[in-house]
Amino acid sequence: MKKLSLFWIALLGCAFLPVRGQDIRRDRRDIRHDRRDLHRDRKDIRRDKADIRTDKKEIRQDLKEGKTGAAAKEEADLQRDQRDLQNDQRDARKDTRDLRQDRKDLKEDRKDLKEDRKDLREDRKDLKEDRKDPN
């Protein structure tokens, strides 16, 4: 009876190893996606900051030349660019948190997989010893 129960334990241990591998693959894929999103957000932030600098320069130039209508349009464009910048910064913070969490998950999944493999080796060893035992 003892041999049979250890056999089932070992069999169940083998069944969970592919699940852990899938978790690790999913975590790696999530990390790639988060890094890509973070890269895009940082690129958008740089572009928004450049647009803001240009808008401010054009507003100063328009006001210097007395073009209040053009300055008002540039001011509206400036506000829009500043909102875009805030949204991109918020997205970058979220992607950074997601990336940190995915890295933590990957580390935990690797640790779990290592423990599962260790347990499986021990179960196989116990099963082998039980086969040798005549009782």
Side-chain angles (χ1 to χ4, degrees):
M1 185 68 178
K2 185 177 178 184
K3 292 179 186 181
L4 188 58
S5 62
L6 285 175
F7 172 74
W8 286 109
I9 291 171
L11 187 62
L12 284 173
C14 289
F16 286 113
L17 289 180
V19 173
R20 299 282 189 209
Q22 290 171 358
D23 290 344
I24 290 172
R25 282 190 295 277
R26 185 183 60 242
D27 290 338
R28 286 180 178 165
R29 186 185 63 237
D30 289 346
I31 288 171
R32 277 194 310 274
H33 289 291
D34 290 340
R35 290 178 69 188
R36 192 175 306 128
D37 288 345
L38 190 56
H39 177 73
R40 282 189 207 121
D41 290 337
R42 287 178 177 162
K43 188 176 179 181
D44 288 344
I45 288 170
R46 285 191 301 272
R47 187 174 44 244
D48 290 339
K49 285 181 178 182
D51 289 346
I52 288 171
R53 283 191 300 272
T54 302
D55 291 341
K56 286 180 179 181
K57 182 179 175 182
E58 289 175 358
I59 289 171
R60 282 192 302 272
Q61 186 66 29
D62 288 340
L63 290 174
K64 187 177 183 181
E65 294 173 1
K67 301 178 184 176
T68 56
K73 288 180 183 178
E74 290 298 329
E75 181 66 32
D77 190 37
L78 174 64
Q79 295 298 322
R80 193 172 37 256
D81 289 338
Q82 288 175 335
R83 279 192 305 274
D84 287 344
L85 175 62
Q86 289 172 348
N87 290 335
D88 290 336
Q89 288 172 332
R90 187 178 316 113
D91 289 344
R93 285 191 299 272
K94 180 187 175 296
D95 290 338
T96 301
R97 280 191 308 270
D98 290 347
L99 182 59
R100 192 176 303 123
Q101 183 62 45
D102 289 338
R103 286 179 175 159
K104 181 181 173 186
D105 291 345
L106 177 61
K107 184 177 180 180
E108 290 172 3
D109 288 341
R110 284 179 175 164
K111 181 181 174 186
D112 290 344
L113 181 60
K114 186 177 180 180
E115 290 173 7
D116 288 346
R117 286 180 176 161
K118 180 182 174 188
D119 291 343
L120 182 60
R121 282 191 301 272
E122 290 172 1
D123 290 343
R124 286 179 178 164
K125 183 179 176 183
D126 290 343
L127 186 59
K128 192 175 185 179
E129 289 173 6
D130 284 344
R131 285 182 184 160
K132 290 178 183 178
D133 189 18
N135 295 334

